[in-house]
Amino acid sequence: MTSTAVGTARTAPGGSDRPLTEAYDVALLDLDGVVYAGPHAIEHAVDSLAAAREAGMRLAYVTNNASRPPRVVAEHLTELGAPAEASDVINSAQAAARLIAGKVPAGSKVLVVGGAGLVEALAEHGLVAVGSLDEEPLAVVQGYDPSVGWQQLAEASYAVAKGLPWVASNTDLTVPTARGIAPGNGTLVAAVRTATGVEPEVAGKPLPPMHRETVLRTGAKRPLVVGDRLDTDIEGAHNGGVDSLLVFTGVTTPAQLLAAEPRHRPTYLAADLRGLLTAQPAVAAGADGEHRCGGWSARVLDGTLLISGDGGDRYDGLRALCGAAWTALDRDGVSADGHKALAELGF
């Protein structure tokens, strides 16, 4: 098993000679794009999660989506067949509420731009949610909810412009849905930022408040972050100094992974959550500049990624490509062209 400390530049995906369910005690699972997309479970997710729990791994569902309270998320997961209790769900609303609680006295009013998830998280800290600046709140908290419209954004803008502390649950620009990719909380935060010229304090992934909230609530000793986004899940793991597994069931593409900067490079990668149940092959770097994994070998020649091999697991080929691409990127500062190599692997 490998581990990456904060600031370490990973030059290839890591390897584990044991299934990840044995190497780590808690899986910190993103939801949207990893476990489900909208109302539907992602293929293989439910069976893989059940098998991981049976193997002794604790499952914690960690999401930047602040719209729904943990019990509602747990009910949705249970309906899909995934093992979940309300205490297994940690969201950015909880991390944001903890930040707010450190800024205002107990019992204070807080202007909420978002949904029930934020309201319940504030109540857990003895804070009172209100919907207007006229109710004299002492802070503003903003999180994603499909109901957020102009009036709420205007109220937030008035309050922020007046100087009230402003905490955003997260700044994800997009959110995956059953119909495709939709605007996320980051687009709504941008509206208030544009109106006021003020930057919010952000609680969610990839920033430390979300990692702290997760560790506090799970007691994880050897956590593994599992996600589909480089700029939230994987960067959050990097910032927390813990290992990560990237799955390709959400927004990240293989081409984006090849061009990833150091803070966006996962420890492991897999097609989907079945990757939790298996060992992870290591990438070997040769003196000749080649990177090998499984039956595949990858290198960079004249700015182009080349792949050769025996037709084995294409994700082994992707691991080898990552090793060659990341090493070249760190050395030359320019991403190598991997389109042809990815096409040869069937991506």
Side-chain angles (χ1 to χ4, degrees), residues 226-249:
V226 184
D228 69 306
R229 303 182 69 105
L230 301 180
D231 59 349
T232 55
D233 305 314
I234 305 308
E235 184 177 338
H238 177 84
N239 290 341
V242 300
D243 289 346
S244 59
L245 169 67
L246 177 74
V247 294
F248 290 94
T249 49

Side-chain angles (χ1 to χ4, degrees), residues 42-347:
I42 286 172
E43 189 175 10
H44 305 299
V46 171
D47 290 345
S48 297
L49 292 173
R53 176 169 281 188
E54 182 68 22
M57 173 177 266
R58 179 176 176 183
L59 307 179
Y61 302 98
V62 185
T63 176
N64 265 358
N65 191 326
S67 63
R68 298 183 296 172
R71 58 178 173 75
V72 177
V73 175
E75 288 169 2
H76 182 203
L77 289 166
T78 301
E79 289 171 358
L80 296 176
E85 303 288 341
S87 59
D88 297 327
V89 179
I90 300 96
N91 63 24
S92 61
Q94 294 167 322
R98 192 179 296 275
L99 283 179
I100 292 287
K103 300 176 182 296
V104 301
S108 296
K109 296 177 181 178
V110 179
L111 177 63
V112 172
V113 181
L118 283 173
V119 174
E120 288 200 10
L122 290 171
E124 187 178 12
H125 289 275
L127 302 172
V128 180
V130 298
S132 171
L133 180 60
D134 294 338
E135 297 177 78
E136 300 183 342
L138 296 184
V140 181
V141 65
Q142 181 173 357
Y144 171 78
D145 190 81
S147 68
V148 172
W150 183 90
Q151 186 62 52
Q152 285 180 287
L153 295 174
E155 288 292 332
S157 298
Y158 303 147
V160 170
K162 191 177 179 179
L164 271 64
W166 176 29
V167 173
S169 65
N170 69 295
T171 52
D172 295 7
L173 293 175
T174 61
V175 59
T177 74
R179 297 179 61 189
I181 303 299
N185 193 53
T187 61
L188 304 175
V189 168
V192 178
R193 180 193 297 118
T194 301
T196 63
V198 176
E199 289 287 339
E201 184 173 0
V202 181
K205 298 178 286 185
L207 296 170
M210 190 68 182
H211 181 74
R212 288 197 300 268
E213 189 72 22
T214 301
V215 171
L216 282 172
R217 290 178 179 267
T218 64
K221 303 299 183 185
R222 302 185 314 281
L224 177 70
V225 171
V226 184
D228 69 306
R229 303 182 69 105
L230 301 180
D231 59 349
T232 55
D233 305 314
I234 305 308
E235 184 177 338
H238 177 84
N239 290 341
V242 300
D243 289 346
S244 59
L245 169 67
L246 177 74
V247 294
F248 290 94
T249 49
V251 301
T252 297
T253 66
Q256 290 170 332
L257 179 62
L258 293 183
E261 57 185 288
R263 61 182 175 161
H264 292 165
R265 296 172 184 172
T267 315
Y268 312 110
L269 58 92
D272 50 56
L273 286 179
R274 289 177 294 178
L276 283 173
L277 310 177
T278 63
Q280 295 286 318
V283 177
D288 55 1
E290 286 194 327
H291 286 73
R292 301 174 181 84
C293 186
W296 297 98
S297 177
R299 61 191 176 97
V300 175
L301 180 64
D302 296 330
T304 299
L305 278 164
L306 304 177
I307 189 75
S308 59
D310 60 6
D313 185 341
R314 64 176 182 160
Y315 285 92
D316 286 346
L318 181 57
R319 293 178 180 96
L321 283 177
C322 285
W326 296 349
T327 299
L329 179 60
D330 293 348
R331 181 189 65 225
D332 304 330
V334 179
S335 297
D337 183 356
H339 291 89
K340 182 178 178 181
L342 288 174
E344 289 180 26
L345 290 173
F347 289 110

